[in-house]
Amino acid sequence: MERTTSKELALAPLQDWGEETEDGAVYSVSLRRQRSQRLSPGAGPRGTQAPSPGADTFLHYRTSKVRALRAARLERLVRELVSGDREQDPGFVPAFLATHRAFVPTARVLDLLLPPPPPPLPPGVEIKKTEGRDLTFNNNLRAVVSVLGSWLRDYPQDFWDPPAHSDLGSVCTFLGWAAPSGAEAREAEKLLGDFLKNAEPQQEEEERSQTWAGHPGVAQIPRPDSPVGCLEEVEGLVREGPELLDFSVDDVAEQLTLMDAELFSRVRPFECLGSVWSQRDRPGATGTTSTVRATVTQFNTVTGCVLGSVLGSPGLAAPQRAQRLEKWIRIAQRCRELRNFSSLRAILSALQSNPIYRLKRSWGALSREPLSTFRKLSQIFSDENNHLSSREILSQEEATEENAPPGSLPSKLPPGPIPYLGTFLTDLVMLDTALPDMLEGDLINFEKRRKEWEILAHIQQLQRRCQSYCLSSHLPILAALRTQRQLSEEQSYRISRVIEPPAASCPSSPRVRRRISLTKRLSAKLSRERGSSPGGSPRDPSSSTSSLSPASPPSSPRTRDPPPGSPPASPGPQGPSTKPPLSPDLPGPRTLALPLSGPHISLPGQQGSEACVVRVSIDNDHGNLYRSILLTSQDKASSVVQRALEKHNVAQPWAQDYQLFQALPGDRELLIPDNANVFYAMSPAGPGDFVLRRKEGARHTTSVSPA
């Protein structure tokens, strides 16, 4: 039998050892422990390979050093693509190819990667073939060709550079002399031909992907000035054809799943990087995130359909409105069965939004079964107590395929799942905000890119699984989805007040606890960079002014959903506050947003220094758009204002014209003095949402790009 000690069982196969510096590059060093051989002392002649029956067998292990490039200059990173040891560091090449556009253009990488062609030989001179001639050069050529093959196959969009696509042309030229008969050369030529042929259709497709849900086709409702005017406008809308809820639950859920699967499969993972998505509103960056914007548009459309169908007929009696609520709950349940977490999240967000959540008579008319289903589904996106979070459930869904019997046919495995993309956008924005791009000595922090690649690789894996859905388009349902009346947040709130005027209590509304803790989420992503601190505590997004979040539903900026046993805040007879709602910066204009406050983390190399991620908006005529920044325990208000203005593309010299306020529950605000330490001055009772407001007497005007 084999004997192992408890110490051996406790040893991990891979243990962190430290760091090494070589030629200006920093490597992380780990010790890999592998079983090498089995020996049975005294079991037979010396050198016998097989142990004698019944003899004790001892395990021998071999420990080897494994190095992974952690930080280096660009030239060293590109050289590692060719000369790196792929057995020791198999993740370097895919991590570089997946994330390089975040820190260097494709053209610059090609300049450093592609060797020049050999000089032409004089007429009449022949090459003398000698054994081993230019062996190193040929090995480098093969390595470059291999890297280009992976690049062309996995990330062809990196070479999209209309109208001439000069980067791809350089690749074709190199492969033409380095490997003219190889599959890589054929792939490059084919890709270039496709780019030149489909240049105009692709541009039109990207434009449609950003506005398909929109417009035209969606009934536009003018902004009302009063609840009565809003009621008359909604009642006056006339549309042809059946409404969305006229179709069966299965048909609606399947069409939503079909659209979500197609849009998610088209997402270019690079667009999800925090450094790319957070800069989507900068001048000239409109088309850089078109595939992610398409998923945001779809998410908004589904949420709008729920709001429009439930609130769009103010004259309905409570039992009739309850039927609509029940049907949407059943559609959400069917999406869960189809493993479509994107539309599931969108439907739940709308049902949990304050305009619908406050309708006590409608919720009271629901039977016990749909209410129970609604509560169970809502727990999927809650990290509270012992409930499984959406991440854990998604992992369980993926494990279904991994644990399938070896002989199982792919057709017998369940398709999907389709994730809620906001979960990945949250992680990537947090990584981009918390980890620096550059380290001391002007070294590129490639460890950050490895962590980002882990998330992008997960997205790619899910995209492949989404190809297994076998659903057919049902045009009448798609038409009904397009023409479903869409209500803005302001209109939804006004109509909700018309349906059920503010009351003293709301006992019949389902009480869904909505809290989120990002401490585990952030510490897991940064485990190698820093140790987590127990200082952070979950916060309640119901007191936030954001519209939607990955783990909490939207809430009206006027009223807050009541905690169990307490009445909701009434907006009063004067009507809703004139203060505009704070629109989150991730990941869309109204949805897929996230609260990024709360988790306190320890900064690497700074003992006693902590930090948390907060969101800052500017109060101006362009609307309030959040930007996420890393707040450390050393930051004064003036430095926070400067960094926030930089994120909002506002000139730095204007920083002295602004004051920093923290948004508190109940539409209250806390003024942070200019010389105060924001980390310790901020109220722990409020969300980590801040607003920049101009000081009285300031003369400058600001202009930022709205979402």
Side-chain angles (χ1 to χ4, degrees):
M1 66 179 184
E2 297 181 354
R3 289 181 177 177
T4 57
T5 65
S6 59
K7 182 178 180 181
E8 288 176 325
L9 292 175
L11 290 177
L14 191 66
Q15 291 181 320
D16 292 334
W17 185 257
E19 292 184 353
E20 290 183 355
T21 302
E22 178 183 296
D23 296 334
V26 180
Y27 292 84
S28 61
V29 181
S30 302
L31 297 181
R32 178 178 295 166
R33 182 169 166 269
Q34 296 175 316
R35 182 187 302 181
S36 59
Q37 59 180 339
R38 301 177 181 178
L39 295 177
S40 300
R46 190 179 186 88
T48 302
Q49 295 296 326
S52 302
D56 291 344
T57 301
F58 293 88
L59 301 183
H60 285 237
Y61 291 88
R62 176 174 54 88
T63 301
S64 59
K65 184 173 72 173
V66 178
R67 299 201 316 171
L69 190 58
R70 186 182 185 92
R73 294 180 181 272
L74 177 61
E75 294 77 7
R76 183 68 184 86
L77 292 176
V78 176
R79 189 164 70 249
E80 187 77 7
L81 291 173
V82 178
S83 60
D85 188 340
R86 296 201 181 187
E87 291 187 0
Q88 278 213 350
D89 190 5
F92 177 81
V93 173
F96 183 94
L97 296 180
T99 63
H100 78 277
R101 290 174 62 186
F103 57 91
V104 60
T106 297
R108 177 58 178 158
V109 176
L110 292 176
D111 289 342
L112 297 172
L113 179 65
L114 301 182
L121 295 174
V125 177
E126 296 182 358
I127 299 178
K128 295 182 179 179
K129 296 183 179 180
T130 58
E131 185 176 358
R133 179 182 180 272
D134 293 334
L135 181 60
T136 301
F137 179 73
N138 290 333
N139 287 338
N140 287 341
L141 280 185
R142 284 192 289 270
V144 173
V145 170
S146 176
V147 170
L148 291 176
S150 300
W151 200 348
L152 291 168
R153 181 182 63 255
D154 298 333
Y155 306 100
Q157 200 63 30
D158 288 355
F159 302 96
W160 173 262
D161 184 25
H165 305 286
S166 56
D167 293 340
L168 187 53
S170 300
V171 172
C172 292
T173 301
F174 165 76
L175 293 175
W177 64 265
S181 59
E184 296 83 2
R186 295 191 297 271
E187 179 67 23
E189 293 291 345
K190 181 180 181 300
L191 184 61
L192 180 58
D194 293 341
F195 279 178
L196 295 175
K197 180 180 178 180
N198 301 324
E200 295 183 1
Q202 179 159 346
Q203 182 177 1
E204 295 175 359
E205 180 182 355
E206 289 186 355
E207 294 174 356
R208 287 196 305 270
S209 68
Q210 299 179 40
T211 59
W212 80 268
H215 340 300
V218 175
Q220 300 296 321
I221 307 175
R223 186 182 184 90
D225 295 328
S226 66
V228 176
C230 181
L231 173 62
E232 293 175 351
E233 290 170 0
V234 172
E235 293 285 7
L237 285 174
V238 178
R239 298 183 298 107
E240 297 180 358
E243 294 187 1
L244 189 60
L245 291 187
D246 293 337
F247 299 94
S248 69
V249 169
D250 289 348
D251 288 343
V252 174
E254 288 176 2
Q255 291 306 297
L256 294 178
T257 301
L258 175 64
M259 289 184 287
D260 288 335
E262 182 177 357
L263 290 172
F264 179 68
S265 298
R266 293 182 179 181
V267 167
R268 293 191 288 267
F270 163 76
E271 297 179 8
C272 300
L273 288 174
S275 59
V276 177
W277 179 245
S278 61
Q279 305 298 323
R280 65 194 179 278
D281 297 312
R282 293 207 172 189
T286 304
T288 58
T289 57
S290 59
T291 61
V292 178
R293 287 178 183 269
T295 64
V296 173
T297 301
Q298 168 69 3
F299 189 98
N300 290 347
T301 300
V302 175
T303 304
C305 284
V306 179
L307 288 168
S309 62
V310 174
L311 303 174
S313 300
L316 287 178
Q320 295 173 306
R321 200 175 309 279
Q323 292 178 359
R324 299 193 175 193
L325 290 174
E326 180 178 355
K327 189 155 189 177
W328 277 116
I329 293 173
R330 291 168 56 199
I331 293 173
Q333 174 62 26
R334 181 56 182 152
C335 287
R336 172 66 182 90
E337 295 170 357
L338 291 170
R339 312 211 296 177
N340 179 3
F341 291 91
S342 182
S343 284
L344 171 62
R345 181 70 181 95
I347 295 172
L348 292 177
S349 297
L351 293 177
Q352 293 172 337
S353 67
N354 203 64
I356 294 180
Y357 185 79
R358 62 176 296 278
L359 300 178
K360 62 175 182 178
R361 290 193 293 270
S362 300
W363 287 105
L366 274 176
S367 61
R368 184 172 301 178
E369 181 181 353
L371 276 177
S372 176
T373 301
F374 174 68
R375 291 191 180 98
K376 290 179 181 179
L377 293 175
S378 299
Q379 292 172 0
I380 293 177
F381 296 97
S382 173
D383 291 328
E384 188 182 58
N385 298 330
N386 294 325
H387 298 312
L388 288 175
S389 67
S390 59
R391 299 168 183 272
E392 294 170 324
I393 294 178
L394 186 62
S395 299
Q396 291 180 355
E397 296 289 334
E398 296 178 78
T400 303
E401 180 175 334
E402 295 175 358
N403 297 332
S408 298
L409 296 177
S411 60
K412 294 184 178 181
L413 297 175
I418 305 170
Y420 169 55
L421 191 59
T423 301
F424 298 105
L425 295 174
T426 300
D427 293 342
L428 289 166
V429 166
M430 291 171 65
L431 281 177
D432 182 63
T433 304
L435 299 182
D437 292 331
M438 306 296 294
L439 301 179
E440 185 178 357
D442 292 330
L443 302 181
I444 296 174
N445 184 6
F446 196 73
E447 185 66 20
K448 172 180 179 177
R449 306 307 168 188
R450 291 181 187 273
K451 295 181 182 297
E452 290 177 329
W453 172 67
E454 291 176 2
I455 301 175
L456 298 185
H458 191 192
I459 293 176
Q460 291 175 319
Q461 183 182 29
L462 290 171
Q463 286 178 317
R464 289 190 292 268
R465 293 178 177 177
C466 283
Q467 305 295 331
S468 57
Y469 281 101
C470 297
L471 301 172
S472 301
S473 298
H474 192 9
L475 295 182
I477 297 181
L478 298 180
L481 181 67
R482 283 174 171 267
T483 56
Q484 174 66 51
R485 56 189 66 169
Q486 300 281 314
L487 302 176
S488 67
E489 183 180 4
E490 183 77 14
Q491 292 165 344
S492 299
Y493 176 73
R494 290 177 179 270
I495 295 175
S496 178
R497 286 175 49 121
V498 171
I499 296 172
E500 293 189 24
S505 63
C506 192
S508 300
S509 297
R511 297 198 174 112
V512 180
R513 291 182 177 269
R514 298 173 294 188
R515 304 181 67 182
I516 179 172
S517 174
L518 296 178
T519 306
K520 293 182 179 179
R521 189 178 307 177
L522 186 57
S523 62
K525 299 299 176 187
L526 308 181
S527 58
R528 291 190 179 181
E529 292 287 339
R530 59 197 65 167
S532 61
S533 171
S537 60
R539 77 178 186 93
D540 187 354
S542 64
S543 63
S544 173
T545 52
S546 63
S547 297
L548 294 180
S549 71
S552 66
S555 61
S556 170
R558 268 70 56 175
T559 61
R560 309 292 183 230
D561 298 322
S566 64
S570 173
Q574 74 277 9
S577 169
T578 57
K579 187 194 301 182
L582 298 176
S583 302
D585 75 328
L586 178 74
R590 194 179 69 173
T591 62
L592 290 176
L594 69 157
L596 283 173
S597 64
H600 289 193
I601 53 178
S602 300
L603 293 178
Q606 302 181 27
Q607 289 191 355
S609 181
E610 290 185 318
C612 64
V613 183
V614 299
R615 305 186 303 177
V616 185
S617 66
I618 297 182
D619 187 7
N620 53 29
D621 296 335
H622 300 277
N624 290 292
L625 177 67
Y626 275 119
R627 295 301 188 197
S628 302
I629 64 172
L630 183 68
L631 176 66
T632 72
S633 58
Q634 311 297 322
D635 287 337
K636 296 295 183 67
S638 56
S639 65
V640 174
V641 170
Q642 290 179 352
R643 296 209 309 275
L645 291 177
E646 181 181 359
K647 281 288 189 86
H648 282 277
N649 301 327
V650 177
Q652 295 294 306
W654 296 351
Q656 66 273 13
D657 293 341
Y658 287 88
Q659 287 181 309
L660 185 66
F661 294 83
Q662 182 187 6
L664 299 178
D667 285 336
R668 295 177 300 145
E669 291 180 338
L670 173 65
L671 172 62
I672 307 296
D674 293 343
N675 60 345
N677 185 308
V678 182
F679 188 87
Y680 297 106
M682 62 186 293
S683 171
D689 296 335
F690 292 82
V691 183
L692 292 179
R693 285 204 172 87
R694 296 183 53 76
K695 298 178 181 178
E696 294 184 4
R699 294 174 296 176
H700 297 294
T701 59
T702 59
S703 176
V704 298
S705 56

